Amino acid sequence: MGRSLEEINSTVSFDSEANAFRKFLMYLGPGLLVAVGYMDPGNWITSMAGGAQFGYILLFIILLSSLAAMLLQSMSARLGVASGMDLAQVTKYMSNKPLGIFSWVLAELAIMATDIAEVIGSAIALNLLFNIPLALGVTITVLDVFLLLMIIKLGFRKIEAIVGVLIFTVLVIFVFEVYLSSPDASSLFAGFIPSSEIVTNKGVLYIALGIIGATIMPHNLYLHSSIVQSRNYKRNNQGKKSAIKYAIIDSNIQLTIAFVINCLLLVLGAALFYGSNEALGRFFDLYHALSHSNVGGAVGGAVMSTLFAIALLASGQNSTITGTLSGQIVMEGFLNIKLKPWVRRLVTRVIAVIPVFICLWLYGSSESKIEDMLIFTQVFLSLALPFSIIPLIMATNNPKIMGEQFTNKTWINIISWILAFVLSILNIYLIIETIQEFL
């Protein structure tokens, strides 16, 4: 079986003789690309709407989701380093042909769903910033193909740096906006304490499930297991052990940043709109509510809404990069088919824009309908999630794949299987509730 993402595998230097801090700096990067999936448009909508409708109570759910994400991504990183294979290759290895094809199709559909969300998010951001019609904005997103092609030529380390700058931009914007909104500190910290209202109030529970469902993305597990192999660490047990250590540190730091950003989104929604009569929950609603907010006067409202749109656009561009890499990993891993990155990107993007164009053709430039499609992509991703988590748990517990030294500890097995079961049940409930809402 060939190496995962062969063109970047072992291309980033990693000096095993360096001190701990230098090793950390050399491994810093893959976690940035993974963290992008935890700050996608689905997270934005659920977090801000949750804060606007229910205050700070759902901060506990964001914390819980982030801890679950850290566990799963650490398992994914360990799989990539220990086995030398990515999750797609391992799933194919463990499956018979029909099951392997089914897993591939599901993974491809999940990546396309992610791409649709990125298309919609970018098109909405362009509309909010420059008043570009949604149909034209969707067309412009096809040009991301050529943007990514230029970035890839710069080298993988440069890709990580660009993603890092975009994430830092989003973080700074929301720190600034939360600072201006002056949230109540005591209520904010109380939000991290679990409350019985989360399960007894159906409205709170639905948003809580939305946050969980939108947080952990299937494509991130495939992505992480591959890109951790970009470092040129020694492929022996000692080298793998060191690489796993720094890969998990990198992942946890970046996911902590994603956790902070999602908390900031919820806090912003709670500080500005909780207790008001405004019906929030969509990008356009939030943008217009921010633009008319009294924080900092008229100018302050305009600045906050513009920064919100810029952050949305930055998030969309980040998703462009990680979505393409994930698609390449899945196609190579399951089918051993290698396409040129620009061909793969063009095919994926064209397929992604078709349903968006159909929606625009049927409903015109309807803001609510285009955002409904975004919500449905999140529901599909929730449905696909267990089909990525279960093979991950099975693979990381298999000594033939991992080696005796790197298999799951007992407590990881127990927690991960409980997590897979709970997420499956919650996702099924979320899907049923979402379908009922739109019927």
Side-chain angles (χ1 to χ4, degrees):
M1 188 174 292
R3 297 195 300 175
S4 180
L5 281 184
E6 196 163 3
E7 66 272 22
I8 68 165
N9 197 298
S10 302
T11 59
V12 181
S13 62
F14 183 80
D15 184 2
S16 59
E17 303 301 323
N19 60 43
F21 183 68
R22 283 192 62 201
K23 284 181 181 178
F24 164 71
L25 291 180
M26 285 183 278
Y27 224 102
L28 192 65
L32 286 166
L33 275 69
V34 170
V36 168
Y38 295 88
M39 295 176 279
D40 76 323
N43 290 87
W44 286 43
I45 287 295
T46 51
S47 294
M48 285 200 75
Q53 294 175 39
F54 305 111
Y56 303 98
I57 192 174
L58 289 169
L59 285 171
F60 170 72
I61 296 298
I62 294 179
L63 174 62
L64 202 62
S65 299
S66 298
L67 292 174
M70 288 178 183
L71 174 64
L72 292 173
Q73 294 300 159
S74 69
M75 292 169 63
S76 180
R78 184 156 45 83
L79 171 67
V81 173
S83 71
M85 296 186 286
D86 58 58
L87 181 58
Q89 292 173 323
V90 166
T91 304
K92 179 184 177 182
Y93 171 79
M94 296 190 301
S95 308
N96 55 34
K97 190 172 182 179
L99 184 58
I101 292 174
F102 172 77
S103 300
W104 167 69
V105 170
L106 200 60
E108 289 284 6
L109 290 174
I111 290 167
M112 289 174 189
T114 304
D115 214 39
I116 289 172
E118 186 269 310
V119 167
I120 293 173
S122 294
I124 290 174
L126 290 171
N127 177 269
L128 296 175
L129 286 169
F130 308 111
N131 202 28
I132 295 175
L134 289 174
L136 180 57
V138 171
T139 305
I140 290 173
T141 64
V142 178
L143 299 177
D144 287 346
V145 176
F146 306 104
L147 173 66
L148 181 67
L149 189 61
M150 290 186 292
I151 293 173
I152 286 177
K153 287 183 177 180
L154 298 175
F156 194 68
R157 196 65 164 154
K158 299 293 192 305
I159 293 177
E160 293 172 346
I162 291 169
V163 169
V165 169
L166 291 174
I167 289 176
F168 183 71
T169 300
V170 174
L171 176 63
V172 170
I173 285 174
F174 284 114
V175 167
F176 175 69
E177 295 206 335
V178 168
Y179 170 76
L180 289 180
S181 67
S182 302
D184 180 67
S186 60
S187 299
L188 191 160
F189 287 110
F192 290 105
I193 300 172
S195 168
S196 60
E197 189 179 351
I198 294 173
V199 292
T200 57
N201 184 319
K202 188 175 180 180
V204 178
L205 178 61
Y206 182 74
I207 294 292
L209 294 176
I211 290 173
I212 294 170
T215 296
I216 305 169
M217 297 291 185
H219 75 279
N220 261 343
L221 302 177
Y222 294 101
L223 177 69
H224 204 184
S225 61
S226 177
I227 59 177
V228 290
Q229 300 177 53
S230 62
R231 269 52 185 176
N232 190 24
Y233 53 86
K234 292 181 179 179
R235 263 57 177 179
N236 54 30
N237 282 351
Q238 185 177 354
K240 289 178 179 180
K241 185 177 180 180
S242 178
I244 289 170
K245 173 184 174 181
Y246 290 104
I248 292 175
I249 292 172
D250 171 46
S251 174
N252 287 345
I253 288 174
Q254 313 308 340
L255 291 179
T256 299
I257 294 173
F259 161 72
V260 171
I261 289 175
N262 284 322
C263 287
L264 291 172
L265 286 163
L266 188 141
V267 169
L268 184 64
L272 293 181
F273 310 116
Y274 180 55
S276 71
N277 295 320
E278 297 188 63
L280 301 173
R282 310 294 178 113
F283 286 125
F284 289 101
D285 296 336
L286 293 165
Y287 176 84
H288 295 307
L290 285 169
S291 64
H292 293 98
S293 67
N294 295 321
V295 177
V299 175
V303 168
M304 290 184 75
S305 59
T306 301
L307 289 176
F308 173 81
I310 292 172
L312 178 58
L313 186 60
S315 177
Q317 296 313 299
N318 265 344
S319 299
T320 294
I321 296 170
T322 57
T324 298
L325 291 172
S326 301
Q328 189 176 344
I329 291 161
V330 164
M331 180 169 282
E332 291 181 7
F334 280 110
L335 304 182
N336 200 28
I337 295 176
K338 298 182 184 293
L339 295 179
K340 292 182 178 180
W342 72 268
V343 174
R344 166 75 205 190
R345 183 59 188 162
L346 185 61
V347 171
T348 304
R349 179 47 56 93
V350 169
I351 292 173
V353 300
I354 288 173
V356 182
F357 275 127
I358 291 173
C359 181
L360 291 172
W361 177 65
L362 289 174
Y363 300 105
S365 296
S366 171
E367 298 173 359
S368 61
K369 294 297 181 181
I370 200 73
E371 293 190 11
D372 284 347
M373 180 177 287
L374 189 151
I375 294 172
F376 277 120
T377 64
Q378 303 305 301
V379 173
F380 180 80
L381 288 171
S382 297
L383 179 63
L385 185 58
F387 295 93
S388 300
I389 293 179
I390 292 173
L392 175 65
I393 299 172
M394 293 174 64
T396 50
N397 198 43
N398 188 334
K400 291 182 179 179
I401 294 173
M402 301 289 290
E404 294 285 351
Q405 187 175 351
F406 301 108
T407 53
N408 294 335
K409 292 181 172 60
T410 302
W411 70 268
I412 291 179
N413 270 330
I414 294 171
I415 294 176
S416 58
W417 277 116
I418 292 174
L419 182 61
F421 176 76
V422 171
L423 280 175
S424 299
I425 297 299
L426 292 181
N427 284 331
I428 291 169
Y429 180 81
L430 175 63
I431 291 164
I432 294 171
E433 288 290 310
T434 304
I435 292 173
Q436 289 178 344
E437 182 181 345
F438 288 104
L439 288 179

